Amino acid sequence: MIKLRNVTKIYEHRELPALKDVSLDVQDGEYISIMGQSGSGKSTLLKAILGEVEHKGNIIFTDEKDNLTKKIKIGYVPQKLNIEKHMPTTVFDMFASCISYIPVFMKKDKKIYKEIKEHLKIFGVDRLIDKSIGDLSGGELQRVLIAMATKPIPNLLILDEPVSGIDKNGIRDFYQILNRLKAEYDMSIILVSHDLELANQYADRVILLDKEVIKEGTPQEVFESLEFKNRFGEL
Ligand code: ADP
Ligand code: MG
C-alpha cells in the first residue's frame, strides 16, 4: 500500500541527516508502531509520508493490484498543535469546518450536528461538542483531534505521540478504540508513541528508528533485541 524507498532528509543548514535511507512497506490494515529516542527522526518520517517535507528517495502509494494510486485518504494527528487559550471556536465548529463536504451555511444543520456527535461518541468525547476548544484539557483535545482525523474513515491514520496528557486508563481505552477502528475498517495505522507497552500491545510491527531503521519486527522481536535494550533498557 505504501512503499518508502531510501527516504533521506537533511534539513537546511544541518550536517547530519534527520532520516537516512529509510525503506519500509506499510500493508493495508497494518498497525505499525514507530519507536525511537527524541530527535531520531520519527516526526520527520511521518511528515515525509504526509508530503509535508521534501526528501530524497521515493514514497509511493499503490492499490491492491500494485498499481500506483493517488486516491488515498490520510488522517493525521500532529504532535504539537498551537491552540490559543480561550479560543472561542467550539468543538462542533472546528469539526464541521474540517469536514470539507459541508458548506458553511449548513454548519448548524441538525443532522450534521447529530452525525458529529455520534462520531465524537466513539472516542468518548460527545459531551464536549459545545465546549470551546481553548477550554479542553490536553487529553480531551487529543481525542477530539483523533475523532476529526477519522471522519471520514481514512485509509491511513498517522498519529504522532497522541496520548500525552491522558491517564493510564484513558490510554488503554484509546488503544482499544484504535484497534477496533483498524479491525472494522481495514485502516492502516502508523503511530509514534513513548508509551512502550500499551502502544505496542496491538501493533503488528514495530520499527525502531535512529535516523535509519535500526530494527524491525514483531513487538516481541524488537523488545528482545540488543538494539532496543541499548536505547530503552529492559522492558
Ligand atoms: P523526533 O520526532 O524523533 O523527536 P524529529 O523528526 O522531530 O525527531 O527531528 C529529527 C531531527 O531533525 C532532530 O535533530 C531535529 O532537531 C531536526 N529537525 C526537525 N525539524 C527540523 C526543522 N524544521 N529544521 C531543522 N531541523 C529539524
Ligand atoms: Mg517527534
Side-chain angles (χ1 to χ4, degrees), residues 15 31 36 61 66 94 103 109 147 161 166 184 205 207-208 221-222:
E15 258 173 56
Y31 173 172
F61 300 95
D66 215 30
M94 179 168 79
D109 189 291
E161 303 191 31
I166 311 182
E184 251 170 66
R205 198 144 54 101
I207 310 281
L208 184 57
E221 281 164 1
V222 173

Side-chain angles (χ1 to χ4, degrees), residues 11 14 18 37-44 79:
Y11 284 106
R14 297 269 171 156
Q37 286 159 321
S38 186
S40 60
K42 303 181 299 295
S43 294
T44 302
Q79 180 174 8

Side-chain angles (χ1 to χ4, degrees), residues 128-223:
L128 303 176
I129 190 164
D130 295 317
K131 267 205 170 188
S132 297
I133 297 292
D135 291 338
L136 304 183
S137 73
E140 289 172 339
L141 179 62
Q142 290 293 33
R143 284 179 181 227
V144 168
L145 292 176
I146 289 156
M148 283 172 49
T150 52
K151 186 156 179 65
I153 297 288
N155 305 101
L156 170 67
L157 179 63
I158 292 182
L159 304 132
D160 199 348
E161 303 191 31
V163 291
S164 48
I166 311 182
D167 64 34
K168 189 123 184 171
N169 284 332
I171 294 175
R172 192 169 294 123
D173 291 349
F174 169 78
Y175 286 117
Q176 270 165 13
I177 293 164
L178 273 193
N179 194 47
R180 221 174 64 213
L181 285 176
K182 170 184 132 85
E184 251 170 66
Y185 301 102
D186 201 32
M187 179 177 78
S188 307
I189 299 172
I190 303 179
L191 175 124
V192 167
S193 176
H194 282 311
D195 180 85
L196 304 189
E197 282 163 82
L198 290 170
N200 296 302
Q201 175 185 356
Y202 298 113
D204 297 307
R205 198 144 54 101
V206 176
I207 310 281
L208 184 57
L209 196 69
D210 191 357
K211 318 305 196 233
E212 44 195 331
V213 176
I214 297 294
K215 183 81 191 170
E216 76 176 286
T218 63
Q220 196 177 355
E221 281 164 1
V222 173
F223 292 162

Side-chain angles (χ1 to χ4, degrees), residues 24-190:
L24 189 67
D25 286 358
V26 185
Q27 308 298 333
D28 290 326
E30 190 177 24
Y31 173 172
I32 291 187
S33 162
I34 297 182
M35 307 189 60
Q37 286 159 321
S38 186
S40 60
K42 303 181 299 295
S43 294
T44 302
L45 180 64
L46 299 185
K47 285 180 199 156
I49 295 172
L50 286 160
E52 286 183 7
V53 296
E54 276 182 63
H55 55 83
K56 285 194 199 136
N58 293 314
I59 299 180
I60 60 167
F61 300 95
T62 57
D63 63 17
E64 313 83 58
K65 292 178 194 120
D66 215 30
N67 295 316
L68 279 184
T69 176
K70 286 198 171 121
K71 280 184 292 176
I72 160 170
K73 183 188 182 298
I74 304 182
Y76 174 50
V77 181
Q79 180 174 8
K80 286 199 201 84
L81 199 86
N82 297 318
I83 296 246
E84 287 186 29
K85 269 284 159 217
H86 316 300
M87 196 163 118
T89 316
T90 67
V91 169
F92 174 75
D93 288 337
M94 179 168 79
F95 206 140
S97 59
C98 282
I99 307 177
S100 53
Y101 60 81
I102 300 176
V104 177
F105 63 85
M106 277 181 62
K107 276 188 192 170
K108 294 291 172 198
D109 189 291
K110 278 224 176 66
K111 207 175 119 225
I112 289 159
Y113 186 89
K114 206 173 147 226
E115 204 180 303
I116 289 177
K117 191 159 178 162
E118 301 255 289
H119 194 74
L120 287 168
K121 197 171 178 181
I122 302 176
F123 300 88
V125 285
D126 48 317
R127 71 197 149 78
L128 303 176
I129 190 164
D130 295 317
K131 267 205 170 188
S132 297
I133 297 292
D135 291 338
L136 304 183
S137 73
E140 289 172 339
L141 179 62
Q142 290 293 33
R143 284 179 181 227
V144 168
L145 292 176
I146 289 156
M148 283 172 49
T150 52
K151 186 156 179 65
I153 297 288
N155 305 101
L156 170 67
L157 179 63
I158 292 182
L159 304 132
D160 199 348
E161 303 191 31
V163 291
S164 48
I166 311 182
D167 64 34
K168 189 123 184 171
N169 284 332
I171 294 175
R172 192 169 294 123
D173 291 349
F174 169 78
Y175 286 117
Q176 270 165 13
I177 293 164
L178 273 193
N179 194 47
R180 221 174 64 213
L181 285 176
K182 170 184 132 85
E184 251 170 66
Y185 301 102
D186 201 32
M187 179 177 78
S188 307
I189 299 172
I190 303 179

